[in-house]
Amino acid sequence: MADDWIRISNGTLTAAINPLGAELSSLTDADGRELMTDADPRFWTGRAPLLFPVVGMTASGAIKVDGVSYPIAKHGFARRSVFSVIETSATRAVFALTDDQATRAAYPFAFRLEVAFELRDATLGIEVTVVNPADAPLPASFGFHPAFAWPLPYGQDRAAHRIAFEKDEPGALKVIAADGTIAATERPSPLDGTVLHLADDLFTDDALVWDPVASQAIIYGVDGAPQLHIAFPDTPKLGIWTKPGAAYVCVEPWHGIADPEGYDGEYRDKPGVFEVPAHGEQRITMSVTLVG
């Protein structure tokens, strides 16, 4: 565990957050078993990046604001920005990122992004607040991207792991194009009823993308063993992703999405962008509960 990570614990769960990106970097149970990715560099060194102010790729590598293009990296800049540590206690930590000259070169708006992590019993709650200090509406997009251990550390076969949705998800899935944008085509749902049986070959063509997703929670793991209940009440889209052979699976609640393939419109008008009212804020939450 890196020296500068902020650690919170309540005896049931322990979380460690890296101020670089305000990234949840470890979540362990009462016996110290790791519930998140091993961050094996052969696959992906991310752990739980916060996606802001874009989710995924833009079609041109930039966003357009009032006709002016602003270059921006995949998933935005929050994940590579150092957040200020605003508050810490035994079971709670709060981080914040505020616009500066570097962020305005990619996203020409004033903003404050606050991220609070709090442990209650067997639940880690994460609350993100997008604050708009300006006199005009703030267009924004946001996504979570946590990578959980696959297999979980409870002695079950990797192949037995599945994700159970809380509601029926009858629609087809979006397709991610070769350039990382969203293709016009769709793919049939791989669900068996409400259950996704995890297998590497599901991810040979990138993430599975539900847009929209009806469920506001899923359960991940193996029946009869400890599992993770992951709730995302504020996000209308969901990505599930790994790289074949990796020891993680990402459950990604999104309030945004990559550009449609070939998109050339304004950032404000692209799918998945919401507006925060002048001097207002928007909260986006998720929680992870160890059950069983």
Side-chain angles (χ1 to χ4, degrees), residues 63-65 68 70 77 99 103-110 138 267:
I63 58 172
K64 187 180 292 185
V65 178
V68 178
Y70 295 84
F77 51 72
D99 64 284
T103 69
R104 288 191 292 271
Y107 178 64
F109 301 101
L138 172 68
Y267 172 70

Side-chain angles (χ1 to χ4, degrees), residues 99-269:
D99 64 284
D100 59 18
Q101 184 176 355
T103 69
R104 288 191 292 271
Y107 178 64
F109 301 101
F111 71 89
R112 180 178 173 88
L113 186 66
E114 295 186 0
V115 190
F117 299 85
E118 187 165 6
L119 292 170
R120 296 189 186 93
D121 300 321
T123 297
L124 172 66
I126 307 170
E127 181 180 81
V128 172
T129 306
V130 184
V131 181
N132 178 11
D135 295 332
L138 172 68
S141 194
F142 179 83
F144 295 103
H145 198 319
F148 300 103
W150 179 26
L152 288 169
Y154 299 110
Q156 307 298 315
D157 287 343
R158 187 172 181 269
H161 285 61
R162 84 285 182 273
I163 290 173
F165 288 72
E166 67 169 1
K167 295 181 180 179
D168 289 331
E169 304 288 348
L173 276 59
K174 300 293 186 184
V175 171
I176 297 180
D179 65 356
T181 60
I182 302 297
T185 55
E186 294 183 323
R187 62 188 290 183
S189 173
L191 294 183
D192 175 12
T194 58
V195 174
L196 178 68
H197 300 285
L198 289 172
D200 285 327
D201 61 6
L202 290 170
F203 304 101
T204 53
D205 295 318
D206 214 311
L208 307 177
V209 179
W210 283 263
D211 177 21
V213 65
S215 300
Q216 294 185 323
I218 60 93
I219 293 178
Y220 162 59
V222 179
D223 283 336
Q227 301 180 75
L228 299 181
H229 179 273
I230 302 165
F232 40 92
D234 306 311
T235 46
K237 311 172 194 300
L238 182 70
I240 297 177
W241 173 77
T242 190
K243 289 188 174 180
Y248 65 83
V249 61
C250 293
V251 179
E252 306 178 40
W254 296 337
H255 207 316
I257 198 166
D259 280 2
E261 197 171 13
Y263 185 74
D264 191 37
E266 286 279 317
Y267 172 70
R268 291 181 186 273
D269 299 327

Side-chain angles (χ1 to χ4, degrees), residues 28-94:
T28 55
D29 68 9
D31 294 318
R33 290 173 291 203
E34 182 61 67
L35 303 174
M36 294 191 65
T37 175
D38 61 359
D40 185 336
R42 293 177 301 163
F43 297 100
W44 185 55
T45 57
R47 298 173 188 269
L50 300 176
L51 316 183
F52 177 87
V54 296
V55 175
M57 290 293 295
T58 58
S60 63
I63 58 172
K64 187 180 292 185
V65 178
D66 298 330
V68 178
S69 289
Y70 295 84
I72 195 164
K74 180 180 181 180
H75 292 324
F77 51 72
R79 64 181 180 149
R80 304 195 189 283
S81 299
V82 177
F83 283 62
S84 299
V85 181
I86 302 302
E87 174 190 338
T88 59
S89 69
T91 59
R92 177 176 165 86
V94 183

